[in-house]
Every structure is written in C-alpha cells, then in structure tokens.
Amino acid sequence: MAALRRIARERGGWWHAYVCPAHGVELEHGDLLAGVFPEGGARCAHGCRVDSEAVRGAWLVLSHQAWARRLRVLAHRGERAEAVERLGEYAGLYAELAADRHGEAQGWMLRGRLFHQALTDAIWAVNVGHAVITLAEKETGDLAAVLPLLEALEQAALEARDVLTGQGQLASNYTAWLNAAGVAAGRAAAAVRGTSWEGAGCWLEGGHGLYAHLRVAVADDGWEWEGSTYYHGFVLRAALLALRSTAPSALPADVVGVLAGMTDVLAAVATPGGVLPALHDGPYRRDALGREWLELIALAQQSVPSDALEAVADRVRAELGDADDALDRELGGWFAGPPLPRRAAAAPVSVFPSTGYAVLRAAGIHALVDFGPHGGSHGHRDKLSLYLYGDTTAWQPDPGQVPYAHPDFRDLYTSTAAHPAFRVDGAEQAECAGALTAADAVSVTAEATEAYEGVRAVRRVAVGPCYLVDLLTVEVTGREAPRITAQLRPGTALDVQVQAAGPVRTTWYGDETLHGWHTWSAEVPVRPFTVPGPGPADDPQRTRTRVDFTAEAAHVVFASVYQAASAGPAVSDVRLDGTELTVELADGSIAHYRTEG
C-alpha cells in the first residue's frame, strides 16, 4: 500500500530547531510528505526521541518545504492533476493561516507568514512559483485558483524586502531570496493570467532588486561577503533561479561578471574529486544540501559553465543515493539563450584576497588557508586555519556547523579550538581579519595581528615538487610566559608518532592516505598533546584525535611537511635550522624554505 501523503495544516517554525539537545545532530526527518509529525517524537541517530513545540515547528518547516519541492517535481514530470490539486490546497491553507506575520518568531527574526522567518517563506514561495510557471507552459485554465496565493506571496516578499532594506541590509542573503520569491510568484501569476511579466524593474533592475543586491553582496574576488561556502551557494542559487527565462548574454555585463566569479569560487575550492569544503557557517553534510548543490550546478552549467562543477555533482549524487529526487535533471532550458563561454580551470594557486582564502594544489593535496574578514554572524574564530583535503578525503576539513538552535555546539564549532588554527594562552581568538602579505605561483603568506593583543602570527604555505610545506610563525610581546599552540584537527582517523629524534610523524587515513612531518624551532621545547574531540559537525558525537603542539615561548616556528601517499619520491628527512626548513627526498633531491625569522 502506498504511503498516505497529506499537507500539514499548521504553520511552520524555525528549521534550525530540528536538532537533538543531547547529541547536537539534526534529527531524522521521517516521511515529510506524510504531513504528520513522527509518532513518539523525532528520532536522533543516537537513540533519542525528541518532541517539543520548537521541534514540531521545525519539522513543519521541513514538511512544507518538501511539499513545495515535490510540486516542482510533479510539474516537470507531467503529473499535473496532483500538482494542481495540491497547489489549490496550499492556496486555501495560506489564506487561512498566513494572513498576518507569524506571531511566534524570535525578536531578531525578519518575521514570515507561513513560517517564523520571511526567508523561509521566500524559499517556499520560490518553489511554489516555479511549479506554477512549469505547469503554465502547458496550459493555464486549471490554475486560476492559485492566483490569490501567488499575489499574496509576491506582496509578502515585497513587504519583507522593504523592512530588510529599510534596515540597510541590502547585502543580506535574505535579499537574494526575497527577490527570487518576488520573481517566481510574479512570473507565475503573469503566466496564469496570460500576460507579460512586468516585474523586472522591481525585482531585478531596481535599487533593491537582484542586480543591486549582487553588486553589494559579492566581493571583487567573487565570494559572497560572508565567506561561507554554504551562503555563497545559497545566494548564487537564488540568483540563478530568479533569472529563469532570461538570456545570459542579455544580462548587464557587471552582473555576468558577478555570476561568473561566484562560479569560479566554487570551482576553485572544490577538490578534484568533488568535495566542497564547508567553510565557515553551513551544514557539513545533509541530503537537502546535496539536492541544493545539484540544482545550483544544473543552472550554472546553463549560464556560466565550469568543468570542475561536474565532479561536485557526481560526488553529491553518489552521496545522496536514493535521496536524490533528480529535480536537477528536469531543469533544461532554464534560460532563454545559450550559456556564456565555459570558465577556465583554476590555477595551481588561487587567491581570494578580499574574502581571505587561498587554495593551493600540491600532488594529491588540496589545501586552503583562511585569513580573511570574520564574516559577520556566520563567521568563525579561525584565522590562519589550514585545511587539507585529498581528491575525496577530508583529512583536515573546516568542520562546518550544527543547526543554529543548539547554542553549545554552535559556539563550539565557531571556536578557535575546533579549527586547525593557532591559539595563545589557551584563549579564543578575537573576531578579526587577517591579511594577505605575499603570494606567487607556488606559495601564499598571510598574517593575523588582531587575534590576540600583542601577537603576530604568520602562516606561509608552499607547494613543493611532490609535497606541501606549512610554516607557522608566532611572536608574542607584552605577556609573561606565553603559551603558543599550533593545532591539528583531523576529520579522519589519525596516527601520531613521537620519534626519539626528529619530527613527529602523523598518518591521516581515508579514501587516500596523507603523511605528515612536524617540527619546530630547535631552541624551544614543544609538547605534542593528543586528545579526543568532536569531529565534523554533521555528528558532534563522532570523535577524532586532536593534536596540539604547545610551546612556552615568546617566539616559535612550527614547520610541517605533508605528502600524499600516492606522490613521490618519498620525503626522507625534514629539518628546521634557524630560519631555514630543509626537505630531503628519497631520490637525493633537497629543497630549502625560509621562515619568517
């Protein structure tokens, strides 16, 4: 017997509340299309059953969003009768429940109508609008009952955008989705009426429209200003959804440049095997996120195509398995013209100086250095972090973030302690910006001078012929007996071996294996310390072996060399003598690297 499917009859809350209070994991969704909260409470992967008003409200968000996406799938696949019936049902429900702004939203929220947040309303409205547009391409006679819903959604998006921009937040990622909602609902309504869409001036070209938003929200290096992979993709996906039925070649030249730059960012940070690092706030991994990436890539490939994004799509599909609803494969012909020229492949070293990332590609190693601005409310205290990936292995990843309603784990995953950064006296870094001081074809150097008072830290990362070099120099003034710590934060299993003489050795496991050599200034005693700690944020209960190298000194250089097991000749010796690091290979070749002094 087929599972019973119904639309829930209640307003939704805030989806970030869908988290286990004990374990910090997102709760299991169950059958979101059943319209009924899981009997006995939402399940946690660690055995809990959670039932509270906030969790029920969060589940309703997920259910309504799943239904909105389902409507698009039905529309594309020609299952018109059910799509039209459900849209009519939603039209009645919205009129009944969402006449006013939601009264249970938290004070900081931009209040929505069907949900606590207007952002959630906008995301839902985008899917509803595009479902109607797709249906209207065939016929419109059975869609008249949906018109009041579409008109209400466009008006709600306009009112929310006015509040937001009235607060001076044109650059907010909310603005992108409110504009996308206005476009989708407005275009859908025009299609149902059989008239031309007249909303471009309001939603795309106007002073608060999509183009104006992109011009202020995206830095000149292509990153959305918050520096989060998730929110970067979030804004780019909203933009591409909003540009349905436009010709890429007809867009303003500067907007084309923004979209191309945003695509280049994703192509640059993605590993050759398609792993997208979860930089700053955003989920580390979840099925809904995977489906979002697939949709974004399907649209990007029709507008500003990039070969690198195909690997991301392949990996996401493999991870999703049966959870892939294949909506992205239904989106052909999204734009009114052919794509723009294919984007060039990323260089071996890519630097994003405004947002503060550098990507370095050594043999079998994909490394990122994080040195930029804090990133607002979605930033982390992670200056000079060094993230290490193989093609498909996250050896030392940015750990991502849990659902925001878990305050303890959220703070933990924004902390310096959670990142492969540096600490002084065991304290957290201040929310601050670092700076790029040098970059060339094989290396990058960045510094942080505001993370701690009286502390200057410099990280230089260089690509060797078959390995990666990391030189971290920290200098402290004005403190008695300072303690300086360099941190390793693996996302995989890690072996640590202290040798009787010579560098500490590490072995990092996964689909691929990484070898590490770790040494420091000869005159400074350093304590290697390993301790279990939370792994990436998709499951904070999964422990990994954290390593702290701590020196009690006012000045110290930590030097590491990393080599993928697939690369060679093998590293045979690593020595730090004064201001020079020497790396010897098994074939007898030697290379030298200067430290910051």
Side-chain angles (χ1 to χ4, degrees):
M1 178 183 296
L4 180 63
R5 289 179 165 175
R6 60 179 288 270
I7 293 173
R9 305 291 303 176
E10 301 89 21
R11 280 172 153 178
W14 185 41
W15 92 263
H16 282 286
Y18 206 63
V19 60
C20 176
H23 297 101
V25 295
E26 183 177 347
L27 297 165
E28 295 178 4
H29 293 181
D31 185 357
L32 294 173
L33 300 180
V36 179
F37 184 72
E39 184 177 358
R43 291 180 181 273
C44 157
H46 296 280
C48 300
R49 301 295 291 263
V50 185
D51 190 348
S52 67
E53 184 177 349
V55 168
R56 283 177 175 263
W59 187 89
L60 285 166
V61 173
L62 299 172
S63 179
H64 285 305
Q65 297 288 16
W67 265 112
R69 187 177 173 95
R70 171 74 176 161
L71 293 173
R72 288 179 67 193
V73 172
L74 292 171
H76 279 290
R77 294 179 181 169
E79 298 183 46
R80 185 179 191 91
E82 183 181 357
V84 172
E85 178 186 351
R86 300 296 190 182
L87 283 166
E89 191 176 347
Y90 261 129
L93 189 66
Y94 193 87
E96 174 187 340
L97 296 179
D100 299 313
R101 292 181 186 171
H102 207 304
E104 298 174 12
Q106 298 179 43
W108 61 269
M109 292 177 173
L110 180 63
R111 286 196 296 162
R113 293 176 178 271
L114 189 58
F115 309 100
H116 282 186
Q117 286 190 297
L119 174 63
T120 318
D121 280 62
I123 295 168
W124 183 81
V126 166
N127 280 323
V128 168
H130 283 297
V132 175
I133 294 171
T134 302
L135 291 168
E137 290 173 347
K138 299 289 185 182
E139 62 176 284
T140 58
D142 53 358
L143 295 172
V146 185
L147 262 179
L149 170 63
L150 298 171
E151 291 165 350
L153 293 178
E154 184 174 10
Q155 183 61 32
L158 185 61
E159 290 175 3
R161 194 186 70 175
D162 284 347
V163 173
L164 192 66
T165 55
Q167 297 168 345
Q169 298 190 57
L170 179 61
S172 166
N173 59 64
Y174 290 27
T175 310
W177 279 93
L178 292 168
N179 279 315
V183 170
R187 276 192 180 277
V192 173
R193 295 189 197 101
T195 60
S196 297
W197 180 58
E198 304 293 342
C202 175
W203 297 111
L204 297 179
E205 302 160 354
H208 296 157
L210 178 68
Y211 302 162
H213 162 73
L214 292 174
R215 287 167 181 139
V216 300
V218 180
D220 55 7
D221 61 10
W223 272 95
E224 198 265 351
W225 68 273
E226 295 165 288
S228 149
T229 315
Y230 174 73
Y231 288 101
H232 180 90
F234 191 60
V235 167
L236 179 57
R237 186 165 63 95
L240 295 176
L241 284 165
L243 294 173
R244 185 176 188 172
S245 300
T246 62
S249 61
L251 296 173
D254 64 330
V255 173
V256 168
V258 169
L259 298 176
M262 295 183 81
T263 303
D264 289 348
V265 162
L266 294 176
V269 300
T271 73
V275 177
L276 270 176
L279 302 169
H280 290 184
D281 262 3
Y284 186 77
R285 183 179 298 150
R286 67 191 297 257
D287 287 348
L289 174 63
R291 291 188 289 269
E292 291 171 11
W293 286 128
L294 288 178
E295 182 178 45
L296 184 159
I297 292 167
L299 302 182
Q301 300 297 53
Q302 297 178 60
S303 51
V304 280
S306 167
D307 289 343
L309 296 186
E310 286 303 321
V312 177
D314 291 343
R315 179 171 179 81
V316 170
R317 288 195 187 100
E319 290 177 347
L320 282 173
D322 293 341
D324 179 9
D325 64 6
L327 174 61
D328 61 300
R329 270 86 88 196
E330 305 284 355
L331 304 180
W334 192 260
F335 300 101
L340 298 165
R342 188 165 289 274
R343 305 301 299 167
V349 175
S350 304
V351 180
F352 302 96
S354 298
T355 315
Y357 291 114
V359 184
L360 301 98
R361 301 167 185 82
I365 302 175
H366 185 87
L368 291 95
V369 183
D370 183 344
F371 59 84
H374 181 65
S377 61
H378 295 301
H380 293 179
R381 301 184 292 274
D382 57 0
K383 287 298 150 282
L384 301 192
S385 287
L386 174 64
Y387 305 114
L388 301 171
Y389 298 81
D391 283 3
T392 60
T393 304
W395 289 310
Q396 182 161 261
D398 191 309
Q401 185 55 273
V402 298
Y404 299 157
H406 200 299
D408 299 313
F409 276 121
R410 185 174 190 205
D411 185 62
L412 184 149
Y413 281 105
T414 64
S415 70
T416 307
H419 290 82
F422 73 99
R423 277 184 299 159
V424 174
D425 290 337
E428 285 288 302
Q429 295 182 3
E431 296 181 359
C432 64
L436 179 73
T437 59
D440 56 33
V442 294
S443 70
V444 169
T445 304
E447 70 173 6
T449 59
E450 299 174 346
Y452 302 93
E453 186 175 357
V455 175
R456 177 176 182 261
V458 178
R459 184 156 232 160
R460 180 181 181 226
V461 181
V463 176
C466 57
Y467 53 80
L468 187 81
V469 171
D470 170 36
L471 299 168
L472 174 63
T473 303
V474 184
E475 186 172 18
V476 180
T477 57
R479 296 181 182 230
E480 290 290 331
R483 287 180 293 116
I484 304 171
T485 300
Q487 303 179 160
L488 303 181
R489 293 293 180 265
T492 63
L494 177 73
D495 282 343
V496 180
Q497 297 173 328
V498 175
Q499 310 292 319
V504 171
R505 297 290 306 274
T506 55
T507 305
W508 311 60
Y509 299 99
D511 295 342
E512 303 127 303
T513 301
L514 178 72
H515 298 292
W517 291 257
H518 310 275
T519 187
W520 45 82
S521 306
E523 68 281 10
V524 176
V526 170
R527 299 192 310 275
F529 175 64
T530 66
V531 60
D538 58 326
D539 186 355
Q541 304 306 311
R542 185 176 54 230
T543 58
R544 293 289 183 251
T545 300
R546 293 181 167 186
V547 184
D548 289 350
F549 295 103
T550 299
E552 294 188 6
H555 180 280
V556 62
V557 178
F558 299 98
S560 295
V561 175
Y562 297 97
Q563 185 175 47
S566 58
V571 172
S572 58
D573 192 21
V574 173
R575 300 187 304 277
L576 180 62
D577 302 308
T579 60
E580 184 174 88
L581 178 75
T582 300
V583 181
E584 293 187 16
L585 302 181
D587 66 354
S589 58
I590 298 175
H592 304 284
Y593 299 86
R594 302 292 296 181
T595 75
E596 283 296 305

